Amino acid sequence: MSLHRKDTDSAFEGAGSKAGLEIWCIENLRLVPVPKSSHGKFYTGNAYIVLKTVLPKTGPAQHEIHYWLGNDTNKVDSAFASDKALELDAALGSCTVQYRELQGLETGKFLSYFKPCIIPVEGLYSSHQGHLNGETYKFSLLTCKGDHVVHIKEVPFSRSSLNHNDVFILDTASKIFLFSGCNSSIQERAKALEVVQYIKENNHGGKCEVATIEDGKFVGDSDVGEFWSLFGGFAPIPRDSPSSVQKQSDAPSVKLFWITTQGKLCQTGTDSLNKKILETDKCYMLDCGAEIFVWMGRQTLISERKTSISATEVWRVNGDELSLLPVPEQTKFYSGDCYVVQFTYPGNERDENLFYAWIGRRSVMEDRRDAISHMNAIVDSTKGDPVLAQAVEDKEPVQFFLIFQTLIIFKGGMSKRYKKFIAEKGITDETYDGIKTALFRVQGTSPQNMQAIEVDLVSSSLNSSYCYILQTETFIFTWIGSLSSTRDHDLLDRMLELINPTLQPISVREGSEPDIFWNALGGKAEYPKAKEMKQCVEDPHLFTLNTTEGDFKVKEIYNFSQDDLTTEDVLVLDCHREIYVWIGCHSSVGSKQEALTLGLKFLEMDVLVEGLSLETPIYIVTEGHEPPFFTRFFEWDPSKANMHGNSFERKLAILKGKPHNLEVPTRNSWKAYSRETTPDGLRSKSVISNGLGRSGSPASSVSGSNSKSSTNQLFSSPTPIVRKLFSGSPHGSADESLVSAGSPAAEPRSLSQSAGFIQADGSGDCVNLLIYPYERLSVISSDPVAGIDVTKREAYLSDEDFQDKFGMTKRAFYELPKWRQNKLKMSLHLF
């Protein structure tokens, strides 16, 4: 079945009509066909779509789709490849099997297409030249593993890379050496010879010598001597035990989940797996422990299939270890535990990482220290210079919630130390088990930012501004506060499906509660009934930190700009609800642990006497790796952030008109933690406040934070709100992905209302814009307007609606600083 659908990428035209392989490379977000002469040559910086077609003698064509992701592929291309694989599947009749292939972890089926092997090439594929610009021949040391299909991996050219268990190929300009570890199998050695032949023909034009070296054979002939001379002379390889066949552990339990259109996992109510239980209009995930399968029904929409392959990565601190949470548990936190969260998003021509250490209110001090320590250890092994942040429960920044979209925080805890602590103190274990009576406060701003927080089981926990879920062993109530909004009611319904989808809920409005409701809460009592007011948006403040000779001094920089971020300095951007510690490449700070300590000292000083809590979220940001939610406070010029040299040299280069060095500045001395301050090499000495109080909803008073395009580390297809948060554009660009591509053109209110001119940017230039209602301009609208400039949604409001929403005229609004405009727009879901 060849492609013929009108909505299919033109590059796929005719695909699948002939037997064999068809390969496309992602280049500048376009599908570029790879010629057959280049099949099997994969560049580490690219993503590829591979279609395998078999035409049997009888019956329809059989297709298998693989998308291969190089180690250096950016997340935008990864997401694009995933989307295109789904598009190709749909056009081929939704009957293909799809495989996600990661460099170095390819499936045997994929490797079987490219006998004897694939050897990824460093760099990027160029369709114009067919090879990497400036590609030069270099020495390489490769490991070969596998006796039927071979996994090839380049390792450092060092004697320490050799061992007795594997087979190695040393490729030099004039000779190829095959080194066979004494514990390697005959099959592996034979397969490695095929790889040697492949390298000889493809890299040397068939003209080079080949030498085989046996492990344990001492210097006795010229080939052996020449081989060891390349490593600086012969030296014995440390002896290790032969690779033993590991005993198979007990077969893990296999679980089947139904994936909802919102991307939530609902476990099916059966342990007996049968093909008949799979419905063609749904997507499923089969969790087999060591591997995961996603099954997509033939009648599901492509949008549903994209949702089915998105995920997050979260670890729970469990004693001295980190436990990676199963996918269904990654949106369920416990107040007695601590967690480490990793999020990867596309930066400026490279992927960036954001790490959070989440500290539960009732977690023990040892787990709090280890959460920071484990996060630092992971960061130390991560490429680039990630942003670090610590977030204490009920003090989380909005970025944290937007990453998860949905988050449930239960009482109690699962960690070993928490369980031990409450046992020693004789404290009742409150850990939620799905059966106990529990009260949840529902909060948030949209389906992409909603939380359910388990609160104390008493009437005083209620608040007229919120909705609640009260669950007992026999019934479940939904309580609707008199001051809650229709948006809150929608979030309540969504959360109810996640917490307990089985019991039929009893909906109760404030003031009409039956006695059984109050009895479950221990009796009726007073609770807050006044409307919660949003906090006003205050200007951020920038400070320099000076720690000369142990003396900690703070000095404010007024009317700051990007030019005030000097490379020799350490600065703090105080945004009131969160602070950013910015570390210049030439500053004296030697570790991110030290930077975190400086942030804590700043909070202790409370320079502006604004009542800063020691639990205020702290972000650690390094020069050249600033995330968009930091740069949005500046009129940001990326070229300034990517210059080399000290402050004087940079300014001198600008003065002389020399081109900016656009390479990202690096800190070779950076470590994620300071071993001098951590005796065991990992444990952090920072102390987190042990307060047990609860504030109001962390989401209710948030005015918003910048949010644009993102993906996570493992999968693709983030929601538009998360996509906004981590875009490379700090102030937002015309991101058409935020508007439904399939939406019909929206109709204005009336021709007479749209005939006027509206000043869109306060610059004196007038733009002729149509007028639309606020409900259709909001980024969370169920019926969004198409074809507008999404960076100026507010400009399409009528003067009356604008005054009503912003509390000021358009002229007054556009006279505000750009960052403040953005904050106001985000608080109204117009950014």
Side-chain angles (χ1 to χ4, degrees):
M1 175 180 179
S2 61
L3 300 188
H4 59 273
R5 291 171 46 149
K6 294 182 179 179
D7 55 350
T8 301
D9 196 302
S10 60
F12 287 144
E13 186 175 355
S17 58
K18 297 181 180 179
L21 283 180
E22 296 172 85
I23 303 177
W24 298 266
C25 179
I26 310 300
E27 185 180 14
N28 297 322
L29 291 182
R30 293 186 304 108
L31 288 172
V32 177
V34 176
K36 287 190 176 182
S37 59
S38 295
H39 282 196
K41 191 173 186 179
F42 294 85
Y43 286 84
T44 61
N46 290 104
Y48 293 80
I49 302 290
V50 177
L51 173 63
K52 173 68 172 179
T53 300
V54 175
L55 300 178
K57 292 182 179 179
T58 60
Q62 300 171 1
H63 307 286
E64 290 181 307
I65 300 172
H66 305 252
Y67 61 102
W68 185 90
L69 308 176
N71 287 340
D72 301 322
T73 306
N74 63 57
K75 296 302 176 182
V76 174
D77 285 353
S78 299
F80 188 83
S82 173
D83 291 350
K84 288 300 177 182
L86 290 169
E87 182 179 313
L88 179 57
D89 167 66
L92 289 170
S94 298
C95 58
T96 71
V97 178
Q98 297 168 57
Y99 303 82
R100 183 173 183 268
E101 309 284 354
L102 299 179
Q103 180 182 337
L105 298 173
E106 296 90 349
T107 62
K109 176 169 286 189
F110 181 80
L111 292 175
S112 70
Y113 302 154
F114 309 101
K115 298 288 182 70
C117 65
I118 62 171
I119 304 177
V121 180
E122 293 286 332
L124 293 170
Y125 173 80
S126 172
S127 58
H128 300 293
Q129 299 183 13
H131 60 82
L132 182 67
N133 292 339
E135 185 178 351
T136 58
Y137 199 85
K138 64 175 183 178
F139 283 26
S140 58
L141 182 63
L142 310 171
T143 60
C144 302
K145 294 186 179 183
D147 51 9
H148 294 289
V149 292
V150 185
H151 283 89
I152 304 294
K153 180 181 179 181
E154 185 171 359
V155 294
F157 182 35
S158 168
R159 183 190 290 109
S160 61
S161 295
L162 301 175
N163 61 57
H164 300 291
N165 299 325
D166 297 320
V167 181
F168 295 81
I169 295 175
L170 176 59
D171 182 16
T172 72
S174 58
K175 184 179 290 189
I176 303 174
F177 297 88
L178 175 68
F179 176 87
S180 301
C182 59
N183 296 327
S184 62
S185 69
I186 296 298
Q187 294 94 326
E188 287 180 313
R189 300 180 190 187
K191 205 67 181 177
L193 281 176
E194 296 180 17
V195 178
V196 170
Q197 182 66 25
Y198 174 84
I199 294 174
K200 179 180 178 179
E201 293 177 357
N202 288 273
N203 293 9
H204 300 270
K207 299 178 181 179
C208 75
E209 298 182 42
V210 174
T212 58
I213 310 297
E214 292 186 20
D215 184 12
K217 184 175 182 180
F218 299 100
V219 177
D221 61 38
S222 58
D223 287 336
V224 174
E226 183 180 358
F227 175 79
W228 288 113
S229 68
L230 295 171
F231 292 92
F234 174 79
I237 301 172
R239 182 67 58 179
D240 52 7
S241 60
S243 298
S244 57
V245 178
Q246 296 181 348
K247 295 182 179 180
Q248 295 294 324
S249 59
D250 294 336
S253 59
V254 178
K255 298 179 181 179
L256 181 66
F257 297 88
W258 164 51
I259 306 173
T260 70
T261 54
Q262 291 80 33
K264 310 306 175 189
L265 298 178
C266 301
Q267 188 169 354
T268 56
T270 178
D271 294 328
S272 177
L273 299 182
N274 188 294
K275 184 177 180 181
K276 294 180 180 179
I277 67 177
L278 300 177
E279 300 179 33
T280 58
D281 61 347
K282 293 181 180 179
C283 294
Y284 296 86
M285 185 187 80
L286 184 66
D287 185 356
C288 301
E291 54 188 354
I292 293 175
F293 297 89
V294 176
W295 185 89
M296 292 172 281
R298 185 187 300 270
Q299 298 177 27
T300 55
L301 301 175
I302 290 183
S303 58
E304 293 176 288
R305 301 177 192 179
K306 292 179 181 179
T307 300
S308 69
I309 55 176
S310 61
T312 308
E313 189 154 4
V314 180
W315 295 269
R316 178 189 290 122
V317 176
N318 193 19
D320 294 327
E321 302 175 346
L322 277 182
S323 301
L324 181 64
L325 297 184
V327 173
E329 303 300 316
Q330 291 186 356
T331 57
K332 300 175 182 178
F333 284 16
Y334 289 86
S335 187
D337 294 337
C338 296
Y339 300 82
V340 175
V341 179
Q342 179 180 5
F343 186 77
T344 303
Y345 61 96
N348 185 20
E349 298 183 355
R350 62 178 181 269
D351 291 341
E352 302 287 2
N353 285 293
L354 169 61
F355 288 88
Y356 282 98
W358 186 88
I359 310 299
R361 276 287 178 192
R362 291 172 170 79
S363 59
V364 299
M365 191 58 65
E366 292 90 341
D367 281 353
R368 297 181 179 203
R369 294 195 194 102
D370 280 353
I372 304 294
S373 174
H374 286 311
M375 177 177 67
N376 288 336
I378 295 174
V379 168
D380 193 35
S381 62
T382 302
K383 291 182 179 180
D385 220 342
V387 176
L388 271 66
Q390 72 170 35
V392 179
E393 181 186 353
D394 77 37
K395 295 289 185 179
E396 299 92 343
V398 69
Q399 294 95 324
F400 183 83
F401 288 132
L402 287 173
I403 288 173
F404 284 94
Q405 302 178 49
T406 299
L407 187 63
I408 304 174
I409 301 178
F410 298 106
K411 282 180 171 290
M414 305 297 287
S415 78
K416 299 174 184 176
R417 288 173 177 155
Y418 174 80
K419 296 293 187 185
K420 180 181 178 182
F421 172 78
I422 61 174
E424 291 175 347
K425 299 294 183 181
I427 301 174
T428 302
D429 191 350
E430 298 180 304
T431 304
Y432 180 78
D433 58 4
I435 301 175
K436 293 180 179 178
T437 300
L439 179 65
F440 297 90
R441 182 184 70 230
V442 177
Q443 62 190 38
T445 58
S446 72
Q448 290 77 34
N449 174 16
M450 62 179 185
Q451 303 85 43
I453 312 296
E454 186 178 358
V455 296
D456 293 336
L457 193 63
V458 292
S459 301
S460 57
S461 295
L462 298 174
N463 187 310
S464 298
S465 296
Y466 297 99
C467 295
Y468 291 79
I469 296 172
L470 174 60
Q471 174 184 301
T472 71
E473 295 183 8
T474 56
F475 58 81
I476 186 167
F477 281 103
T478 57
W479 187 85
I480 301 174
S482 60
L483 300 177
S484 61
S485 65
T486 55
R487 178 193 65 194
D488 297 326
H489 306 163
D490 176 58
L491 300 185
L492 177 66
D493 293 338
R494 293 173 183 268
M495 272 299 179
L496 185 63
E497 292 181 6
L498 299 176
I499 291 177
N500 194 326
T502 57
L503 289 178
Q504 180 65 33
I506 304 172
S507 181
V508 174
R509 288 192 171 272
E510 182 178 3
S512 61
E513 303 87 351
D515 290 341
I516 191 174
F517 176 86
W518 295 119
N519 292 339
L521 296 177
K524 192 173 183 179
E526 290 297 316
Y527 57 85
K529 297 181 179 179
K531 186 173 182 63
E532 288 195 350
M533 302 301 293
K534 289 187 177 181
Q535 299 177 13
C536 61
V537 180
E538 300 181 35
D539 291 351
H541 296 259
L542 185 66
F543 299 87
T544 59
L545 302 184
N546 193 322
T547 57
T548 305
E549 298 179 356
D551 189 18
F552 187 78
K553 295 182 179 180
V554 177
K555 182 179 180 180
E556 183 170 3
I557 300 174
Y558 300 99
N559 300 313
F560 62 84
S561 68
Q562 183 183 355
D563 291 335
D564 293 309
L565 301 177
T566 48
T567 186
E568 295 83 11
D569 287 336
V570 179
L571 300 105
V572 169
L573 184 67
D574 181 0
C575 300
H576 311 290
R577 296 192 186 98
E578 61 204 27
I579 68 170
Y580 299 82
V581 181
W582 182 89
I583 312 297
C585 285
H586 292 79
S587 71
S588 59
V589 173
S591 72
K592 291 190 175 179
Q593 178 60 57
E594 183 181 350
L596 179 59
T597 302
L598 293 176
L600 289 170
K601 286 185 178 180
F602 180 86
L603 293 178
E604 290 174 358
M605 291 186 68
D606 195 10
V607 179
L608 299 177
V609 195
E610 55 186 321
L612 279 179
S613 167
L614 293 178
E615 298 167 350
T616 300
I618 303 173
Y619 289 89
I620 309 300
V621 178
T622 52
E623 181 182 6
H625 295 266
E626 296 85 354
F629 52 86
F630 173 83
T631 60
R632 65 192 171 98
F633 295 105
F634 303 82
E635 292 291 341
W636 196 258
D637 181 356
S639 64
K640 291 182 180 179
N642 295 332
M643 294 183 68
H644 275 312
N646 58 35
S647 299
F648 174 80
E649 292 167 337
R650 297 181 188 189
K651 293 292 178 69
L652 186 62
I654 295 174
L655 180 65
K656 293 185 176 182
K658 294 183 178 179
H660 293 169
N661 186 342
L662 296 182
E663 295 182 11
V664 178
T666 58
R667 283 191 81 113
N668 294 330
S669 61
W670 259 112
K671 290 291 181 183
Y673 53 89
S674 172
R675 296 186 182 272
E676 290 74 20
T677 60
T678 53
D680 61 358
L682 283 177
R683 189 175 299 278
S684 164
K685 292 296 182 182
S686 66
V687 179
I688 312 299
S689 172
N690 194 28
L692 297 177
R694 257 193 199 282
S695 69
S697 161
S700 63
S701 60
V702 171
S703 60
S705 291
N706 194 3
S707 32
K708 235 175 147 322
S709 150
S710 82
T711 57
N712 59 35
Q713 183 185 18
L714 300 177
F715 299 94
S716 60
S717 306
T719 64
I721 292 210
V722 179
R723 193 180 297 126
K724 282 185 66 182
L725 178 58
F726 295 95
S727 163
S729 173
H731 300 295
S733 60
D735 186 355
E736 295 300 332
S737 65
L738 300 181
V739 181
S740 174
S743 300
E747 294 295 328
R749 290 180 180 174
S750 69
L751 189 60
S752 60
Q753 287 178 303
S754 62
F757 286 89
I758 298 175
Q759 187 161 329
D761 56 7
S763 64
D765 296 328
C766 292
V767 183
N768 187 11
L769 298 176
L770 299 176
I771 301 297
Y772 296 99
Y774 167 78
E775 291 73 21
R776 299 196 64 194
L777 292 169
S778 169
V779 296
I780 59 174
S781 173
S782 60
D783 181 24
V785 179
I788 63 171
D789 182 350
V790 296
T791 67
K792 290 188 172 59
R793 294 175 183 271
E794 77 287 351
Y796 295 89
L797 290 170
S798 67
D799 291 340
E800 295 79 10
D801 284 350
F802 194 99
Q803 180 72 43
D804 178 60
K805 295 295 181 182
F806 287 88
M808 65 182 75
T809 64
K810 289 184 178 180
R811 181 174 295 277
F813 173 79
Y814 290 118
E815 290 175 353
L816 295 173
K818 186 70 173 179
W819 71 265
R820 192 163 186 179
Q821 294 179 26
N822 290 343
K823 256 200 163 181
L824 288 171
K825 290 196 293 184
M826 284 186 287
S827 68
L828 295 170
H829 302 292
L830 292 172
F831 187 86

